[in-house]
Amino acid sequence: MLHRNKVYRQSNLLRLIDWKISLKLNNINQYDTLFEDHYLQLFRIKICCNELPTCVNLKKRKPDLYDEDWRCNFCKIEEETFNHFWKCSKIQNVVQDILKRLKIFLAKIIQKYSRDNIDTQELKGKINELGMWDIGCLYDFTFLMKNQVSCQLIELLKCYKITEEKLLYKVLKQITGRVLLEFKVLIWEPRNELQIKEEK
């Protein structure tokens, strides 16, 4: 098994993800011609395969250019990995902002597509109870960037009668796309700007 798949050796994690839905989300529409969609799909694949050019990966690929002194572009202390971004002390305000915005987005999208009259406070409470907000736990919201959707999130959507297959996938694509875009714009792109400055 590839080292990047080590996390999936945990049977407890495997039970938390709805694999049938997650695999279907990863199907690429061959008729989709938007460059932006392809770019985001490529970005998602790099995250899934642990191929983002983080400092850790750059040191492996080009040790002659990136020596052991290269660290996280934000904190300059820890090794820079995809997982580190979510725990990095220098960008915790950004991470918390992403979490807050994602919860708001989730509430809005459920309200938009649900066939029920919704008690907004109850919905927000149920969203806050999702286990995926605890970064670093077995399954957290970062798995959504890989189109790996938790059974718990699926149950929440079904609870609000978002059950019809086409609608469910439409909603999930919007949710996973939103998480990916938030990471790309608020963390990855600023990180790249810092990396460019360091390389000069």
Side-chain angles (χ1 to χ4, degrees):
M1 183 177 272
L2 294 172
H3 180 69
R4 65 180 171 234
N5 294 329
K6 182 173 71 173
V7 68
Y8 301 108
R9 291 184 197 155
Q10 303 173 65
S11 59
N12 291 343
L13 173 63
L14 296 177
R15 286 192 287 273
L16 296 175
I17 297 171
D18 187 316
W19 288 104
K20 182 180 176 188
I21 289 175
S22 297
L23 290 171
K24 194 162 183 180
L25 275 175
N26 277 312
N27 286 341
I28 298 170
N29 182 354
Q30 64 185 7
Y31 302 107
D32 193 2
T33 57
L34 292 175
F35 177 75
E36 187 176 297
D37 289 344
H38 288 289
Y39 181 74
L40 281 176
Q41 186 65 21
L42 178 62
F43 189 64
R44 183 185 313 278
I45 290 168
K46 285 181 179 181
I47 291 172
C48 289
C49 297
N50 192 24
E51 293 296 325
L52 280 180
T54 60
C55 286
V56 165
N57 286 339
L58 290 171
K59 287 191 270 188
K60 289 176 191 171
R61 290 181 205 157
K62 298 182 179 183
D64 53 318
L65 293 176
Y66 300 95
D67 62 23
E68 288 303 311
D69 294 336
W70 284 87
R71 299 282 179 208
C72 168
N73 281 286
F74 294 112
C75 70
K76 309 285 187 213
I77 299 168
E78 301 289 329
E79 291 284 348
E80 186 185 76
T81 64
F82 174 75
N83 289 333
H84 169 71
F85 289 127
W86 306 105
K87 299 171 189 166
C88 180
S89 59
K90 292 292 184 184
I91 57 169
Q92 274 309 295
N93 58 332
V94 176
V95 171
Q96 292 308 311
D97 188 44
I98 289 172
L99 288 171
K100 181 180 172 186
R101 290 157 55 133
L102 187 57
K103 288 176 185 181
I104 292 168
F105 179 75
L106 195 50
K108 284 182 180 177
I109 204 164
I110 289 172
Q111 288 172 322
K112 180 178 178 179
Y113 291 108
S114 177
R115 289 180 275 144
D116 282 347
N117 288 328
I118 294 177
D119 177 334
T120 307
Q121 288 308 111
E122 180 183 305
L123 173 60
K124 287 179 181 177
K126 286 182 179 182
I127 289 171
N128 282 325
E129 289 171 8
L130 292 172
M132 68 183 185
W133 308 120
D134 185 12
I135 296 171
C137 68
L138 198 53
Y139 176 95
D140 63 37
F141 83 101
T142 63
F143 280 80
L144 291 172
M145 283 183 256
K146 303 173 188 178
N147 276 343
Q148 295 169 353
V149 182
S150 72
C151 296
Q152 199 180 29
L153 178 57
I154 299 298
E155 287 306 312
L156 177 68
L157 295 174
K158 288 181 177 178
C159 171
Y160 286 98
K161 301 209 173 32
I162 299 174
T163 55
E164 190 268 314
E165 188 176 351
K166 246 183 170 175
L167 178 60
L168 181 64
Y169 285 106
K170 178 180 180 176
V171 168
L172 288 170
K173 279 192 177 283
Q174 289 181 40
I175 293 168
T176 58
R178 180 63 173 256
V179 177
L180 188 65
L181 203 55
E182 293 273 336
F183 169 68
K184 183 181 173 299
V185 171
L186 297 175
I187 295 177
W188 187 249
E189 289 175 357
R191 175 261 177 218
N192 288 343
E193 290 172 16
L194 292 171
Q195 180 79 18
I196 289 166
K197 286 179 187 174
E198 285 292 318
E199 289 176 350
K200 286 184 179 180

